[in-house]
Amino acid sequence: MEIKALNFDPETVKDPIALFVFEDDKENFDFLGSLKDQVEKLLQVENFKGKEESLAKVSLLLNGDVRTFYVVGLGKREKAGEEAYRVASGLLAKRAIKDKVNKLYLYAGNLNLRLSKAITEGAILGSYKFDKYKTKKEEENSNSLDNLYIYGADEEGIYLGKILAEAQNFTRDLVNEPGNIINPITLAEIAQNLSREYGLECKVYDEKEIQEMGMYALWSVGKGSATPPRFVHMVYKPEGEAKEKIAIVGKGLTFDSGGLNIKTGDFMRTMKMDKAGACAVLGIMKAIAQLKPCVEVHGIFGAAENMPSGNAYRPDDIIRAMNGKTIEIDNTDAEGRVTLADALSYASKLGVSKIIDMATLTGACMVALGEYTAGLFTNDDEFGDEILALSKLTGERLWKLPMDDKKLREKIKRGDADLLNSGGRYGGAITAAMFLEEFVGEGIKWVHMDIAGPADFREAFSYYSKGASGFGVRTCVEYILRICEK
Ligand code: BES
Ligand code: MG
Ligand code: ZN
């Protein structure tokens, strides 16, 4: 899709025109000049009020031509932030595609860089579909929105929005691929190809090197599968001296059957999405390579498939992770934290000041927060709060959960080893985060996002479709960009 800033004249444009309007606002239609009265009257018939997530289409005849207007609500002016524009733009793109509109003109009021960026993101995210395996494309979905012209938009905002949304869609494409296509080996190859294309350093460690490095936790989780595990380390280095060094770590289970503690059918379904954290890392590295911020960024993930077999790791097994700590396996389905033990240990040795990890870690996090909000856990409130504040802008919902419960922490220390890989049912997202914290090096500021809920949606809404969301990509990239603006 081509998105451009263009100051068009609503009276002469023949293609559909879209307007973003505030709820019950007098100035909404002034832009339309002589067309204002007619459009306003037609909208009254539709009982359109400009509420959030509302959209109306009206058509009128002008000198023998049908002129179509889409009007999308932003909600109350005082409340409409970046996310309202992103949502409006996403809904508009979806509707335009459904109506077979290829070219669309948009007037969304006064736009600055941030709002231009949000509109661009919404349009690109809202246009996303995963239909590469449909041998016959559905009639309804065969159309694409090719051109979007935005009145008074900021070109820099459009540029940023494009890179961010395309990176997020790249992540969605990867997460949506099933386990027979993306396995640990192919996921590592994707990282290598991406790095080659964008000039990033990339080192892939195979199952032998994984053991040589002492990553027995990652290796153990992966050894039950016919496809052996891989460990991936990508690096972006800025030209000149880096202002900061940070690591982004992702959980990369290309499929999670549960292992010997096998999941039942309903829970195993969708577990191709258990690599969403690693795929977010890939999306982030792609965006970072294009935006070239002043920060050195390490993108890291262990890729493994959790399968039951004669070679699979077992409940009761005691495993030594790369940082020397021992882990007793209570449940082979709590495998994500075991792989992350090694990924976080590795990241901690790179001399980074901060680590952000993203993981589809626990069903318990979805029980706590619902499926649209990720859990945020941190060992540094200031760092955590910065990310929480950003998430309000990106629309990627995050909510902080506590890490200071000493009694709860005891639950992962009950076994025969240093740590037990499950703390039981209650507070399951928190005990998982506490487990991860054991592998974060001294003095490193750390944020963990449990994205089990919002990494993959069961139904389409606002700018999302059913399936992978690419959650985490925009918030992390924006965080990195902010470091350079400070
Ligand atoms: N990958 C799952 C968590 C998950 C569940 C992600 C639902 C997305 C949707 C994880 O590996 C897992 O199985 N966790 C267990 C942990 C338990 C055995 C302590 C869980 O949440 O049930
Ligand atoms: Mg599991
Ligand atoms: Zn898992």
Side-chain angles (χ1 to χ4, degrees), residues 153-189:
D154 180 291
E155 287 288 0
E156 174 77 6
I158 293 175
Y159 169 77
L160 283 169
K162 250 187 205 163
I163 289 179
L164 283 160
E166 277 165 10
Q168 183 168 350
N169 283 350
F170 172 72
T171 295
R172 293 163 93 180
D173 269 339
L174 296 178
V175 177
N176 280 326
E177 289 288 353
N180 61 324
I181 304 293
I182 293 194
N183 58 42
I185 293 176
T186 54
L187 190 60
E189 280 167 6

Short mmCIF file of all heavy atoms in Angstrom, two decimals, residues 153-189:
data_model
loop_
_atom_site.label_atom_id
_atom_site.label_comp_id
_atom_site.label_asym_id
_atom_site.label_seq_id
_atom_site.Cartn_x
_atom_site.Cartn_y
_atom_site.Cartn_z
N ALA A 153 -0.87 15.37 6.31
CA ALA A 153 -0.10 14.43 7.14
C ALA A 153 1.38 14.77 7.15
O ALA A 153 1.88 15.49 6.27
CB ALA A 153 -0.30 13.01 6.62
N ASP A 154 2.07 14.26 8.13
CA ASP A 154 3.51 14.48 8.30
C ASP A 154 4.25 13.29 7.66
O ASP A 154 4.05 12.14 8.07
CB ASP A 154 3.80 14.57 9.80
CG ASP A 154 5.28 14.78 10.10
OD1 ASP A 154 6.08 13.85 9.86
OD2 ASP A 154 5.61 15.88 10.55
N GLU A 155 5.12 13.58 6.69
CA GLU A 155 5.79 12.51 5.93
C GLU A 155 6.69 11.64 6.82
O GLU A 155 6.77 10.44 6.63
CB GLU A 155 6.62 13.08 4.78
CG GLU A 155 5.80 13.60 3.61
CD GLU A 155 5.13 12.51 2.76
OE1 GLU A 155 5.29 11.30 3.07
OE2 GLU A 155 4.44 12.88 1.80
N GLU A 156 7.33 12.29 7.79
CA GLU A 156 8.19 11.54 8.71
C GLU A 156 7.36 10.55 9.55
O GLU A 156 7.77 9.40 9.77
CB GLU A 156 8.94 12.54 9.62
CG GLU A 156 9.78 11.94 10.74
CD GLU A 156 11.11 11.36 10.25
OE1 GLU A 156 11.44 11.53 9.06
OE2 GLU A 156 11.79 10.72 11.08
N GLY A 157 6.19 11.00 9.96
CA GLY A 157 5.28 10.13 10.71
C GLY A 157 4.84 8.94 9.87
O GLY A 157 4.77 7.81 10.34
N ILE A 158 4.54 9.22 8.60
CA ILE A 158 4.13 8.14 7.70
C ILE A 158 5.27 7.13 7.53
O ILE A 158 5.07 5.91 7.60
CB ILE A 158 3.70 8.70 6.32
CG1 ILE A 158 2.42 9.54 6.46
CG2 ILE A 158 3.50 7.58 5.31
CD1 ILE A 158 1.98 10.23 5.19
N TYR A 159 6.48 7.67 7.37
CA TYR A 159 7.67 6.82 7.21
C TYR A 159 7.85 5.89 8.41
O TYR A 159 8.04 4.68 8.27
CB TYR A 159 8.89 7.73 6.99
CG TYR A 159 10.22 7.03 7.07
CD1 TYR A 159 10.68 6.26 5.99
CD2 TYR A 159 11.02 7.12 8.22
CE1 TYR A 159 11.90 5.61 6.06
CE2 TYR A 159 12.23 6.47 8.29
CZ TYR A 159 12.68 5.72 7.21
OH TYR A 159 13.88 5.07 7.29
N LEU A 160 7.79 6.47 9.61
CA LEU A 160 7.95 5.67 10.84
C LEU A 160 6.84 4.64 10.98
O LEU A 160 7.09 3.46 11.29
CB LEU A 160 7.92 6.59 12.07
CG LEU A 160 9.17 7.39 12.37
CD1 LEU A 160 8.87 8.45 13.44
CD2 LEU A 160 10.27 6.46 12.86
N GLY A 161 5.61 5.08 10.75
CA GLY A 161 4.46 4.19 10.88
C GLY A 161 4.56 2.99 9.96
O GLY A 161 4.23 1.87 10.33
N LYS A 162 5.03 3.25 8.74
CA LYS A 162 5.19 2.17 7.76
C LYS A 162 6.16 1.11 8.24
O LYS A 162 5.90 -0.08 8.19
CB LYS A 162 5.77 2.76 6.47
CG LYS A 162 4.81 2.78 5.33
CD LYS A 162 5.56 3.22 4.08
CE LYS A 162 4.54 3.82 3.14
NZ LYS A 162 5.14 4.64 2.10
N ILE A 163 7.31 1.56 8.70
CA ILE A 163 8.34 0.62 9.15
C ILE A 163 7.85 -0.19 10.35
O ILE A 163 7.99 -1.41 10.40
CB ILE A 163 9.65 1.37 9.46
CG1 ILE A 163 10.26 1.84 8.14
CG2 ILE A 163 10.63 0.48 10.24
CD1 ILE A 163 11.54 2.61 8.27
N LEU A 164 7.21 0.50 11.28
CA LEU A 164 6.73 -0.19 12.49
C LEU A 164 5.63 -1.20 12.15
O LEU A 164 5.67 -2.35 12.59
CB LEU A 164 6.22 0.84 13.50
CG LEU A 164 7.34 1.55 14.25
CD1 LEU A 164 6.85 2.85 14.86
CD2 LEU A 164 7.89 0.64 15.34
N ALA A 165 4.65 -0.76 11.37
CA ALA A 165 3.52 -1.66 11.07
C ALA A 165 3.96 -2.82 10.18
O ALA A 165 3.49 -3.95 10.34
CB ALA A 165 2.39 -0.87 10.43
N GLU A 166 4.86 -2.55 9.25
CA GLU A 166 5.32 -3.64 8.39
C GLU A 166 6.15 -4.65 9.19
O GLU A 166 6.07 -5.86 8.93
CB GLU A 166 6.09 -3.09 7.18
CG GLU A 166 5.11 -2.67 6.09
CD GLU A 166 5.72 -1.79 5.00
OE1 GLU A 166 6.96 -1.65 4.96
OE2 GLU A 166 4.93 -1.24 4.19
N ALA A 167 6.90 -4.17 10.16
CA ALA A 167 7.64 -5.09 11.03
C ALA A 167 6.67 -5.93 11.85
O ALA A 167 6.87 -7.14 12.04
CB ALA A 167 8.58 -4.30 11.94
N GLN A 168 5.62 -5.29 12.33
CA GLN A 168 4.62 -6.02 13.11
C GLN A 168 3.92 -7.07 12.24
O GLN A 168 3.70 -8.20 12.68
CB GLN A 168 3.59 -5.03 13.69
CG GLN A 168 2.56 -5.70 14.58
CD GLN A 168 1.74 -4.70 15.37
OE1 GLN A 168 2.05 -3.50 15.41
NE2 GLN A 168 0.68 -5.18 16.02
N ASN A 169 3.59 -6.71 11.00
CA ASN A 169 2.97 -7.69 10.09
C ASN A 169 3.92 -8.83 9.74
O ASN A 169 3.49 -9.97 9.55
CB ASN A 169 2.47 -7.00 8.82
CG ASN A 169 1.17 -6.24 9.05
OD1 ASN A 169 0.54 -6.39 10.09
ND2 ASN A 169 0.76 -5.44 8.08
N PHE A 170 5.19 -8.52 9.64
CA PHE A 170 6.22 -9.55 9.41
C PHE A 170 6.18 -10.56 10.57
O PHE A 170 6.17 -11.78 10.36
CB PHE A 170 7.58 -8.86 9.31
CG PHE A 170 8.77 -9.79 9.24
CD1 PHE A 170 9.04 -10.53 8.11
CD2 PHE A 170 9.64 -9.89 10.33
CE1 PHE A 170 10.15 -11.38 8.05
CE2 PHE A 170 10.74 -10.74 10.28
CZ PHE A 170 10.99 -11.48 9.14
N THR A 171 6.13 -10.04 11.80
CA THR A 171 6.01 -10.91 12.97
C THR A 171 4.74 -11.75 12.91
O THR A 171 4.77 -12.96 13.16
CB THR A 171 6.04 -10.05 14.26
OG1 THR A 171 7.31 -9.43 14.36
CG2 THR A 171 5.79 -10.89 15.50
N ARG A 172 3.63 -11.12 12.53
CA ARG A 172 2.35 -11.86 12.44
C ARG A 172 2.46 -13.00 11.44
O ARG A 172 1.97 -14.11 11.68
CB ARG A 172 1.23 -10.91 12.03
CG ARG A 172 0.91 -9.88 13.08
CD ARG A 172 0.12 -8.73 12.49
NE ARG A 172 -1.32 -8.92 12.61
CZ ARG A 172 -2.21 -8.04 12.16
NH1 ARG A 172 -1.82 -6.93 11.55
NH2 ARG A 172 -3.50 -8.26 12.31
N ASP A 173 3.08 -12.71 10.28
CA ASP A 173 3.25 -13.75 9.26
C ASP A 173 4.01 -14.95 9.82
O ASP A 173 3.67 -16.09 9.55
CB ASP A 173 4.04 -13.19 8.06
CG ASP A 173 3.11 -12.61 6.99
OD1 ASP A 173 1.92 -13.00 6.96
OD2 ASP A 173 3.60 -11.80 6.18
N LEU A 174 5.06 -14.68 10.58
CA LEU A 174 5.87 -15.77 11.12
C LEU A 174 5.09 -16.56 12.17
O LEU A 174 5.10 -17.79 12.17
CB LEU A 174 7.15 -15.22 11.76
CG LEU A 174 8.14 -14.52 10.82
CD1 LEU A 174 9.33 -13.99 11.61
CD2 LEU A 174 8.61 -15.48 9.73
N VAL A 175 4.41 -15.85 13.06
CA VAL A 175 3.68 -16.53 14.14
C VAL A 175 2.56 -17.40 13.55
O VAL A 175 2.27 -18.48 14.05
CB VAL A 175 3.11 -15.51 15.15
CG1 VAL A 175 2.29 -16.20 16.23
CG2 VAL A 175 4.24 -14.71 15.79
N ASN A 176 1.95 -16.91 12.48
CA ASN A 176 0.84 -17.65 11.87
C ASN A 176 1.29 -18.92 11.14
O ASN A 176 0.47 -19.80 10.88
CB ASN A 176 0.07 -16.75 10.88
CG ASN A 176 -0.90 -15.81 11.59
OD1 ASN A 176 -1.48 -16.17 12.63
ND2 ASN A 176 -1.07 -14.61 11.06
N GLU A 177 2.56 -19.03 10.80
CA GLU A 177 3.05 -20.25 10.13
C GLU A 177 2.96 -21.43 11.09
O GLU A 177 3.35 -21.33 12.26
CB GLU A 177 4.52 -20.07 9.69
CG GLU A 177 4.72 -19.12 8.53
CD GLU A 177 4.25 -19.67 7.19
OE1 GLU A 177 3.88 -20.87 7.09
OE2 GLU A 177 4.26 -18.88 6.23
N PRO A 178 2.47 -22.56 10.60
CA PRO A 178 2.32 -23.73 11.48
C PRO A 178 3.64 -24.44 11.75
O PRO A 178 4.66 -24.17 11.12
CB PRO A 178 1.37 -24.62 10.69
CG PRO A 178 1.61 -24.26 9.26
CD PRO A 178 1.95 -22.79 9.25
N GLY A 179 3.59 -25.36 12.70
CA GLY A 179 4.77 -26.10 13.15
C GLY A 179 5.41 -26.98 12.09
O GLY A 179 6.60 -27.32 12.22
N ASN A 180 4.67 -27.37 11.07
CA ASN A 180 5.29 -28.19 10.02
C ASN A 180 6.09 -27.34 9.05
O ASN A 180 6.85 -27.85 8.24
CB ASN A 180 4.24 -29.02 9.27
CG ASN A 180 3.19 -28.17 8.57
OD1 ASN A 180 2.80 -27.13 9.08
ND2 ASN A 180 2.76 -28.58 7.41
N ILE A 181 5.94 -26.03 9.12
CA ILE A 181 6.69 -25.13 8.25
C ILE A 181 7.81 -24.46 9.04
O ILE A 181 8.96 -24.41 8.61
CB ILE A 181 5.76 -24.04 7.64
CG1 ILE A 181 4.59 -24.68 6.90
CG2 ILE A 181 6.55 -23.08 6.75
CD1 ILE A 181 4.95 -25.45 5.65
N ILE A 182 7.48 -23.89 10.20
CA ILE A 182 8.51 -23.26 11.02
C ILE A 182 8.83 -24.18 12.20
O ILE A 182 8.00 -24.46 13.06
CB ILE A 182 8.10 -21.86 11.51
CG1 ILE A 182 8.02 -20.90 10.30
CG2 ILE A 182 9.13 -21.33 12.53
CD1 ILE A 182 7.96 -19.43 10.66
N ASN A 183 10.04 -24.69 12.20
CA ASN A 183 10.56 -25.49 13.32
C ASN A 183 11.83 -24.79 13.79
O ASN A 183 12.21 -23.75 13.23
CB ASN A 183 10.78 -26.95 12.85
CG ASN A 183 11.74 -27.04 11.68
OD1 ASN A 183 12.76 -26.35 11.64
ND2 ASN A 183 11.41 -27.87 10.70
N PRO A 184 12.51 -25.29 14.79
CA PRO A 184 13.69 -24.56 15.28
C PRO A 184 14.73 -24.28 14.20
O PRO A 184 15.33 -23.19 14.17
CB PRO A 184 14.24 -25.49 16.36
CG PRO A 184 13.03 -26.19 16.88
CD PRO A 184 12.15 -26.42 15.68
N ILE A 185 14.93 -25.21 13.29
CA ILE A 185 15.94 -25.00 12.25
C ILE A 185 15.50 -23.93 11.25
O ILE A 185 16.26 -23.02 10.92
CB ILE A 185 16.25 -26.34 11.52
CG1 ILE A 185 16.95 -27.30 12.51
CG2 ILE A 185 17.11 -26.11 10.27
CD1 ILE A 185 17.24 -28.68 11.95
N THR A 186 14.24 -24.01 10.81
CA THR A 186 13.80 -23.01 9.83
C THR A 186 13.66 -21.63 10.46
O THR A 186 13.91 -20.62 9.80
CB THR A 186 12.48 -23.43 9.15
OG1 THR A 186 11.49 -23.71 10.15
CG2 THR A 186 12.67 -24.68 8.30
N LEU A 187 13.30 -21.58 11.75
CA LEU A 187 13.20 -20.26 12.41
C LEU A 187 14.58 -19.60 12.49
O LEU A 187 14.72 -18.39 12.25
CB LEU A 187 12.58 -20.39 13.81
CG LEU A 187 12.20 -19.07 14.49
CD1 LEU A 187 11.17 -18.29 13.65
CD2 LEU A 187 11.65 -19.30 15.89
N ALA A 188 15.59 -20.41 12.76
CA ALA A 188 16.96 -19.87 12.80
C ALA A 188 17.39 -19.41 11.40
O ALA A 188 18.07 -18.39 11.25
CB ALA A 188 17.92 -20.92 13.34
N GLU A 189 16.96 -20.16 10.37
CA GLU A 189 17.30 -19.75 8.99
C GLU A 189 16.64 -18.41 8.64
O GLU A 189 17.23 -17.57 7.96
CB GLU A 189 16.84 -20.82 7.99
CG GLU A 189 17.80 -22.00 7.91
CD GLU A 189 17.21 -23.20 7.17
OE1 GLU A 189 16.09 -23.09 6.62
OE2 GLU A 189 17.87 -24.26 7.16
#
